[in-house]
């Protein structure tokens, strides 16, 4: 059939024309909507876990 998943893997809302592929480190299988992608992106850039900073 080749049907692509048409719902966001995070919030479950219907995906329109714009789908986003989550980054591997987010541990999300499937595709997500722009809102969730945006949210995740923000979380990962602003989240207070200092992966790189602690190396100094
Ligand atoms: Zn979503």
């Amino acid at each position: 059939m080749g049907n692509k998943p048409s719902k966001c893997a995070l919030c479950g809302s219907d995906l329109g024309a714009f789908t986003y592929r989550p980054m591997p480190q987010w541990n999300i299988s499937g595709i997500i909507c722009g809102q969730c992608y945006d949210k995740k992106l923000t979380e990962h850039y602003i989240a207070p876990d200092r992966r790189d900073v602690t190396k100094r």
Side-chain angles (χ1 to χ4, degrees), residues 7-15 31-37:
K7 288 197 190 284
C8 173
L10 275 187
C11 67
S13 67
D14 288 321
L15 293 169
I31 48 178
I32 58 177
C33 69
Q35 269 191 321
C36 290
Y37 186 85

Side-chain angles (χ1 to χ4, degrees), residues 29-43:
S29 59
I31 48 178
I32 58 177
C33 69
Q35 269 191 321
C36 290
Y37 186 85
D38 220 47
K39 216 162 92 177
K40 276 285 169 187
L41 211 61
T42 306
E43 275 175 19

